[in-house]
């Protein structure tokens, strides 16, 4: 049986698996059902670029928005960059206000371009049904004035969507304005393009950060939900202060669906989603709290009915989450998934039950987006990390579709879909001074790609078969080293547990019992037992951390002090830059410390001192064990075992140095004062980067 197992372990068929798997892992797209690709090009930083189908032919046009002077100009081009015409506007483009939006208010063939411009503290709406000469054309429709901070607009405007709320066959344009260090305006609006009227939501102190139109109760009329945060930017009393987060739902008339629900605490943030649209629809709220007041609402997930009644609540702490969470909801045909993005990725069902916890593939500080990458009506999840320079794409079931290198200089992305004449769909991202085309493709013949894997494997089998004999020799050499290390380790353990030491320890316990000092006897025996347990638990190890070695040698020294009282003292000093996580050979300190006590300090008439210093020296860790004992000559007179432990340590290091690229070195210096022996100094240099502890004593 053993022979068969050995033949299997050293067979070329087994050894070929590892390199074949590694090489196969790095083969791009072969055997993958989907592939993600990115094409990047430079762009003007202040110019907006988006794609939209303005003429209803299924092919997108390219629309730019360029600031003046003297006029804002909006050129419209085809997919190949050829110009149709240009729309010129007065006033100014403001980054936080003037994004390009598209709609079809009269629901005909042609779509309109929507853009807001600014003049000092005023905001104006401009609309152009570009490909229809008789279509909707509006310019400089006054919307509102906004607060200025040091002469600059401190507001942000985003589209919410379109809906025909008065059923006249023409859609109203919904949008919101948020304001930072100021109160006005913090409202949602809709503009009736047919009747040229503007309506706003009730006055509040809270900002609607990223509102969306969605039907939360199945009545075929959309509502507005939005994440909100307790930013604390305005401390004057107002309805619904921004020192709390609020669950607010507006209906299509911009009225409260139900009384807003408060989540108290400055530093809190509330994300809101709809889930279970195919069955009993619910509202999901995730409350993050990063403040210091523990009496506030705890970070949690809460399910609400569309009428604002609590169904279920789960604390994030119950999932083991202590940091801020970035939530997403993925809607697939089978089920909705709640994704909590933190240091790990948590996947929950719509009952708030944990399905899976995954290791996060990216470093902290990554960004997440949901977008329909392949234009199939189902959104994918995109994770991007500036630190990793990587973009990862997941489908709605949290199956990874692909990961590609990606680096961009801005996290605020302008995202749209480009559809070419051939019907190809690409995700278009404008980020800072670059544009990126991200494409998700399905490989219909991906199964054929798997044929390359057996070919790689067979190639490695043939290669390894040619060097089997040399490999066997190397393995036998390694086994010999392991056996030598085993012998040396066992000798080291025997040296620490010699009968003399054990007898003295037990005799000390008996003496304490005789003197009826039971507490001291119990304390001594307990420490002695722990020392034996630790020694035996490390019996198979070649290396251990400096922290473990210091713990062991401290326990040993304390035990010796219980035996010998004030016969000696000791101190341990750690230099700067020592983390105690460095690997050191086992017994590297204890062996020399024991030698110092037994042969140097115990023969002294008065109390002696043992010092252990650990410092960083270039690529080495220098360990110094120094005593003020009787010195080499007198120690040799008192013991016939002098030098035996040192020979064993020398042989131990000799074997380890065959493995490590940098050797372990040690030196012994006999100290003198006025010509008389005054102690011994042992210095050991251990490389900071030792070969991993692969060698252990077999049973």
């Amino acid at each position: 049986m053993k022979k068969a197992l050995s033949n299997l372990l050293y067979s070329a068929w087994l050894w070929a698996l590892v390199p074949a798997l590694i090489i196969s892992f790095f083969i791009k797209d072969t055997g993958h059902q989907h592939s993600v690709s990115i094409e990047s090009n430079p762009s003007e930083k202040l110019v907006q670029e988006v794609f939209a189908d303005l003429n209803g032919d299924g092919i997108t046009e390219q629309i730019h928005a360029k600031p003046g002077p003297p006029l804002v100009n909006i050129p419209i081009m085809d997919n190949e960059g050829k110009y149709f015409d240009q729309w010129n506007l007065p006033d100014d483009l403001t980054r936080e206000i003037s994004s390009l939006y598209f709609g079809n208010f009269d629901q005909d063939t042609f779509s309109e371009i929507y853009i807001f411009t600014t003049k000092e503290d005023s905001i104006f709406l401009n609309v152009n049904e570009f490909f229809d000469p008789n279509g909707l054309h509006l310019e400089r429709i006054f919307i509102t004035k906004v607060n200025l901070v040091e002469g600059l607009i401190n507001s942000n405007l985003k589209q919410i969507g379109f809906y025909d709320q008065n059923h006249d066959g023409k859609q109203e344009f919904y949008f919101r304005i948020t304001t930072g260090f100021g109160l006005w305006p913090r409202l949602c609006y809709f503009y009736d393009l047919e009747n040229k009227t503007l309506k706003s939501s009730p006055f509040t102190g809270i900002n609607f950060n990223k509102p969306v139109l969605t039907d939360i109760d199945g009545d075929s009329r959309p509502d507005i939900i939005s994440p909100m945060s307790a930013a604390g930017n305005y401390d004057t009393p107002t309805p619904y202060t921004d020192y709390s987060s609020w669950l607010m739902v507006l209906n299509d008339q911009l009225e409260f669906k139900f009384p807003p629900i408060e989540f108290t605490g400055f530093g809190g943030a509330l994300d809101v989603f709809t889930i279970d649209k195919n069955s009993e629809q619910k509202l999901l709220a995730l409350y993050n709290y990063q403040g210091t007041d523990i009496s506030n609402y705890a970070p949690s997930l809460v399910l609400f009915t569309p009428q604002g009644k609590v169904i279920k609540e789960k604390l994030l702490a119950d999932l083991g989450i202590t940091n801020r969470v970035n939530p997403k909801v993925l809607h697939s045909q089978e089920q909705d998934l709640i994704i909590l993005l933190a240091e790990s990725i948590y996947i929950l069902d719509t009952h708030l039950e944990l399905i899976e916890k995954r290791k996060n593939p990216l470093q902290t500080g990554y960004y997440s987006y949901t977008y329909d990458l392949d234009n199939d009506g189902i959104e994918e999840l995109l994770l991007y990390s500036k630190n990793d320079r990587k973009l990862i794409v997941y489908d709605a079931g949290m199956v990874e579709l692909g990961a590609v290198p990606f680096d961009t200089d801005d996290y605020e992305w302008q995202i749209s879909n480009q559809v070419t004449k051939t019907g190809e769909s690409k995700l278009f991202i404008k980020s800072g001074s670059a544009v990126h085309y991200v494409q998700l493709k399905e490989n219909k013949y991906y199964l054929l790609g798997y044929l390359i894997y057996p070919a790689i494997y067979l190639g490695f089998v043939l290669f390894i078969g040619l060097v089997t004999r040399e490999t066997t020799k190397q393995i036998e050499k390694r086994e010999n080293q392991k056996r030598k290390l085993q012998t040396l380790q066992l000798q080291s353990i025997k040296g620490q547990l010699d009968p003399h030491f054990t007898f003295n320890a037990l005799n000390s316990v008996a003496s304490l019992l005789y003197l009826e000092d039971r507490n001291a006897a119990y304390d001594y025996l307990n420490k002695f037992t722990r020392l034996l347990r630790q020694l035996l638990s490390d019996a198979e190890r070649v290396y251990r951390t400096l922290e473990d070695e210091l713990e062991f040698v401290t326990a040993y020294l304390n035990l010796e002090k219980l035996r010998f009282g004030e016969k000696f003292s000791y101190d341990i000093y750690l230099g700067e830059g020592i983390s105690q996580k460095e690997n050191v050979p086992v017994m590297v300190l204890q062996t020399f410390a024991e030698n110092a006590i037994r042969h140097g300090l115990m023969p002294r008439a008065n109390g002696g001192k043992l010092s252990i210093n650990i410092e960083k020296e270039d690529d080495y860790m220098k360990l110094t064990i120094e005593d003020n004992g009787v010195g080499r000559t007198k120690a040799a007179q008192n013991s016939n075992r002098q030098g035996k432990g040192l020979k064993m340590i020398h042989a131990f290091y000799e074997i380890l140095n065959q493995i490590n690229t940098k050797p372990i070195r040690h030196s012994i210096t006999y100290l003198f004062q006025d010509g008389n022996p005054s102690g011994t100094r042992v210095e050991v240099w251990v490389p900071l980067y030792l070969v991993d502890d692969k060698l252990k004593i077999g049973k």
Side-chain angles (χ1 to χ4, degrees), residues 578 615-622 665 685-686 688:
I578 301 297
E615 297 177 308
K616 190 175 180 182
E617 188 176 284
D618 297 329
D619 291 335
Y620 280 85
M621 184 167 45
K622 181 182 177 182
R665 298 180 285 110
W685 289 269
V686 179
L688 288 174

Side-chain angles (χ1 to χ4, degrees), residues 14 49 67 203 211 349 369 394 399 522 539 553 646 656:
L14 181 62
E49 299 178 50
F203 172 74
D349 62 20
Y369 310 84
Y394 295 89
V399 175
Y522 176 77
V553 77
L646 299 181
L656 290 180

